[in-house]
Amino acid sequence: MRKLIDSRIKLAIVLIILVFITGIVGFRFLYDYSWVNALYMTIITISTVGYGEVQPMGAYGKIFTSVFIISGLFIFGFGLSTITEHILNKNNIGNLKRNRMKKKIDSFKDHIIVCGYGQNGKQAAQKLVDYRKDFVIIDRDEAVFQGFEDDRLKYIIGNATEDEVLTNAGIERASTLICALPRDADNLFIVLSARQLNKDLKIISRATEENSYKKLKLAGADNVIMPDRIGGSHMASLVVVPDLVEFLDNLSVSGQQDSINVEQIPFSKVCSDGIEKTIAETDIRKKTGCSIIGYKSPSGNYVVNPEPSLKLEKESKLIMIGRPEQIESLKKFYSV
């Protein structure tokens, strides 16, 4: 479409130039006008101002001028409509919004890329909004973005299996990639491409088939999630331990005042001076009201319900639990 409009603009410009040249040359040599008078007559004839002739014309002159006026009006009308269409196409609200969005995406660093805006992709995006994380959504179906009003959601319309699209999303600067496409083959291809483009990228992929799990892991995915397996296990748990499952379902990153939230906080925030301390020495419970339910060591090992005497190591993380207002107090106190 853009190429067609560009070609029409070029044609319109050429025709307008030809009209001017025809008019100037015609008035100069057919009626012996000076170059200035020929240009003057061309302009007032095309513009239909109607100031009058520089000098009287014969029958042939009037015929030439009449044909020149009619052809000039048609050509200028065509040119004006084409240029107007080009301006509106280039500056319509949608394009302006996409240009602003592209500038914002280009400024992202350590952001998250979500490939696919289906059911899983939407859920992931909503969680990222709750966490106030910078992220970009990639989906080839333009229809899924129709009526997008939330400025927090940045997206790119394209095929995430193409390296160029991943690059436009800032794959080299991103910290995490979430592959949420419905086909395992597409997710596998994206994982392979992304791992080549960014060796340090954390990759989380969805899988549907059991045999895709190992393939995605071998391709470079750090975590592989199987929604169907999780769903089945969750339903069975609701039969066996319903109260426990409902309690765990109530754990979230955001919610109503009576919901329970969880949050993680790195060592660098808890011990901003860099000195290793015990959990008791940090006194987080007294400062924020939140409780520590987990500890992740620098090597990746987890400790559930750690003892107060446990010393926090550099590069470790604490898992906190509390009501929304307590989590908010935690975030403000430690600038999370």
Side-chain angles (χ1 to χ4, degrees):
M1 183 65 182
R2 184 180 294 274
K3 290 182 179 179
L4 176 61
I5 293 174
D6 289 343
S7 63
R8 289 181 62 188
I9 288 174
K10 291 176 183 178
L11 176 61
I13 292 173
V14 170
L15 289 175
I16 290 171
I17 292 173
L18 284 176
V19 167
F20 268 97
I21 292 174
T22 302
I24 293 170
V25 172
F27 286 119
R28 172 68 181 87
F29 293 103
L30 293 178
Y31 309 107
D32 200 28
Y33 283 11
S34 66
W35 287 109
V36 175
N37 285 339
L39 175 61
Y40 174 74
M41 279 297 297
T42 300
I43 293 173
I44 66 172
T45 302
I46 292 175
S47 62
T48 66
V49 172
Y51 277 131
E53 302 149 359
V54 175
Q55 60 192 49
M57 291 184 181
Y60 292 112
K62 291 178 180 178
I63 293 173
F64 170 79
T65 304
S66 299
V67 173
F68 183 62
I69 290 173
I70 294 172
S71 59
L73 285 174
F74 277 108
I75 290 173
F76 264 85
F78 169 75
L80 183 62
S81 64
T82 302
I83 293 171
T84 301
E85 182 182 357
H86 173 72
I87 293 172
L88 291 175
N89 182 71
K90 191 174 182 180
N91 297 288
N92 63 60
I93 296 175
N95 282 336
L96 287 175
K97 183 178 179 181
R98 279 192 288 271
N99 289 336
R100 287 198 303 269
M101 197 178 297
K102 185 179 184 305
K103 289 181 181 178
K104 185 66 177 178
I105 293 172
D106 290 341
S107 69
F108 282 166
K109 188 176 181 181
D110 294 330
H111 59 290
I112 299 156
I113 299 174
V114 180
C115 298
Y117 198 60
Q119 184 176 358
N120 294 130
K122 287 178 181 177
Q123 291 175 344
Q126 185 56 56
K127 284 292 183 183
L128 294 174
V129 169
D130 293 335
Y131 269 119
R132 299 183 180 90
K133 296 290 185 180
D134 292 329
F135 65 96
V136 183
I137 304 166
I138 302 176
D139 199 291
R140 67 197 307 173
D141 186 6
E142 188 173 358
V144 301
F145 300 119
Q146 293 296 328
F148 244 43
E149 300 292 341
D150 196 338
D151 290 335
R152 293 174 297 178
L153 302 180
K154 311 301 179 187
Y155 61 87
I156 292 176
I157 300 170
N159 189 348
T161 61
E162 298 176 2
D163 288 357
E164 182 182 357
V165 175
L166 292 175
T167 302
N168 290 338
I171 190 73
E172 295 91 348
R173 307 184 308 277
S175 63
T176 308
L177 175 73
I178 298 176
C179 298
L181 294 176
R183 295 182 66 247
D184 290 350
D186 291 335
N187 289 325
L188 179 62
F189 195 89
I190 294 170
V191 170
L192 285 168
S193 300
R195 183 56 71 202
Q196 292 298 317
L197 294 170
N198 188 340
K199 303 292 184 184
D200 301 322
L201 189 69
K202 179 178 177 63
I203 301 177
I204 303 169
S205 178
R206 156 195 172 143
T208 304
E209 303 294 334
E210 291 281 350
N211 58 6
S212 299
Y213 184 92
K214 288 185 178 180
K215 293 177 182 177
L216 286 163
K217 277 284 191 177
L218 288 172
D222 297 288
N223 302 97
V224 179
I225 309 299
M226 301 188 69
D228 293 339
R229 176 192 289 179
I230 293 173
S233 175
H234 189 82
M235 287 187 287
S237 297
L238 281 169
V239 175
V240 181
V241 282
D243 295 331
L244 175 59
V245 173
E246 287 182 11
F247 175 80
L248 293 176
D249 285 343
N250 203 33
L251 298 179
S252 61
V253 294
S254 66
Q256 304 299 322
Q257 287 298 315
D258 59 349
S259 69
I260 302 170
N261 285 11
V262 291
E263 183 62 83
Q264 67 177 25
I265 180 170
F267 170 87
S268 59
K269 296 292 184 179
V270 178
C271 305
S272 56
D273 54 6
I275 300 174
E276 296 181 348
K277 302 175 184 177
T278 64
I279 289 178
E281 289 172 335
T282 62
D283 204 14
I284 295 177
R285 171 74 179 179
K286 184 177 180 180
K287 293 175 181 176
T288 67
C290 294
S291 300
I292 300 173
I293 60 171
Y295 171 77
K296 182 181 180 181
S297 69
S299 60
N301 295 321
Y302 286 90
V303 177
V304 178
N305 193 24
E307 298 292 335
S309 58
L310 178 68
K311 179 171 284 189
L312 306 182
E313 300 177 68
K314 293 180 179 178
E315 306 300 325
S316 64
K317 293 179 180 178
L318 290 175
I319 312 300
M320 316 296 300
I321 188 170
R323 295 189 301 275
E325 65 272 15
Q326 293 172 330
I327 293 294
E328 194 62 33
S329 174
L330 175 78
K331 291 179 178 179
K332 288 180 179 179
F333 192 89
Y334 291 108
S335 301
V336 178

